[in-house]
Amino acid sequence: VNLRAVTSWVGITRLFAVVLSCVAFSLVASTGDFRNAYGTWCMFTWCFCFTVTLLVLVLELLELYPKLPLSWDDFTSAFSMLAALMVFTASVVFPSIFINSPCSGSKCARQAVATAVSCLCCLAYALEVGLTRAKPGDISSFLSTVPGLLKVFEAYVACLIFSLLDTYSSEAGLQWCVAVYSICFVITLLIIIFTIGRCLSYLPCPLDKMLVGYSTLALAMYITATILWPYYSFKNNNKRPSNCGRGCFWDKRLGVTFLTIFNLIAYLVDLIYSTRMVFI
């Protein structure tokens, strides 16, 4: 038994994340008001993060993780980053959809407490990311470096973009943007999977220079998407329709615009850090 799995700072942070995620989904489950698509996503997020974090703690406590055919440090770093992003999204989506103003009654109080607990859970995962992030010069695990963590961020933002896409087949420019999101997402996801599965060493080209080349190409593609998506999305609808309710196409396209900008910035920072790691 490896007691450091629960007594180190990282272990204590994971214990907090387990408890907080459990409290969050328990409180929301007690209200019974989570049955639409947004509520299902939030419940899945809290349950998924609770289950995987508990599994990580058990495997490290019993020292079983070396028997797994994967890079454990890369897996835990990628998961903590993904969990922080997922719980952050749930902490924003849940109150905006389910908590109405004015808020009164025990049901609303439980929803408010669940939101606050979810925010604390997000901070716990963010703290784990900070504690496990590789220091300058440490190349023991790629996904714990800044470029590696950014790969997880880029893939997650692409998933959010896909969830907001509705009608885009009418314009060639929008089709190109969707192609950009899809190509970059698939390649980024493959890099993450190959890193965790220890398969990058089998590539027939230098890994570091390949990552710099991919970051450059992805940045150039996202620059075009950042220009084309808002142009073709709003050239005939530059103002939000007055009869546009929740789930409006205009809101979704605006959300895709901002998420595209976020990923553009992420790929730019990724390129800067990757270039520094390789050439400086």
Side-chain angles (χ1 to χ4, degrees), residues 171 230-238:
E171 297 283 355
Y231 173 75
Y232 284 104
S233 294
F234 303 113
K235 67 177 182 178
N236 297 322
N237 300 284
N238 54 357

Side-chain angles (χ1 to χ4, degrees), residues 69-219:
L70 52 82
S71 174
W72 183 251
D73 290 338
D74 285 310
F75 170 75
T76 53
S77 297
F79 169 73
S80 60
M81 183 65 177
L82 176 63
L85 294 170
M86 292 178 66
V87 176
F88 173 77
T89 306
S91 302
V92 174
V93 169
F94 182 78
S96 63
I97 299 297
F98 293 96
I99 299 181
N100 299 317
S101 181
C103 180
S104 60
S106 62
K107 175 181 175 181
C108 184
R110 280 176 285 172
Q111 290 174 332
V113 173
T115 301
V117 170
S118 181
C119 293
L120 293 175
C121 185
C122 175
L123 291 177
Y125 281 116
L127 179 60
E128 182 184 347
V129 172
L131 291 173
T132 57
R133 184 174 67 85
K135 304 301 184 292
D138 182 9
I139 56 173
S140 57
S141 57
F142 170 70
L143 291 181
S144 63
T145 63
V146 172
L149 295 173
L150 284 172
K151 292 288 187 297
V152 180
F153 177 84
E154 292 155 3
Y156 182 74
V157 171
C159 289
L160 294 181
I161 290 175
F162 295 143
S163 70
L164 295 177
L165 293 176
D166 48 10
T167 56
Y168 55 86
S169 59
S170 59
E171 297 283 355
L174 297 181
Q175 293 175 5
W176 163 253
C177 293
V178 175
V180 169
Y181 304 143
S182 302
I183 293 171
C184 294
F185 169 74
V186 170
I187 296 177
T188 301
L189 185 63
L190 287 176
I191 291 174
I192 295 172
I193 294 174
F194 286 174
T195 302
I196 295 175
R198 298 175 178 172
C199 299
L200 289 177
S201 58
Y202 298 106
L203 295 177
C205 55
L207 173 62
D208 49 0
K209 293 181 174 59
M210 183 200 71
L211 292 176
V212 172
Y214 165 65
S215 298
T216 305
L217 177 62
L219 177 63

Side-chain angles (χ1 to χ4, degrees), residues 1-38:
V1 176
N2 178 23
L3 292 179
R4 279 190 54 81
V6 292
T7 57
S8 64
W9 285 112
V10 175
I12 293 172
T13 303
R14 288 172 179 162
L15 285 174
F16 272 109
V18 167
V19 173
L20 292 170
S21 58
C22 180
V23 172
F25 74 71
S26 298
L27 286 171
V28 174
S30 68
T31 66
D33 188 11
F34 58 89
R35 304 192 184 278
N36 62 18
Y38 297 104

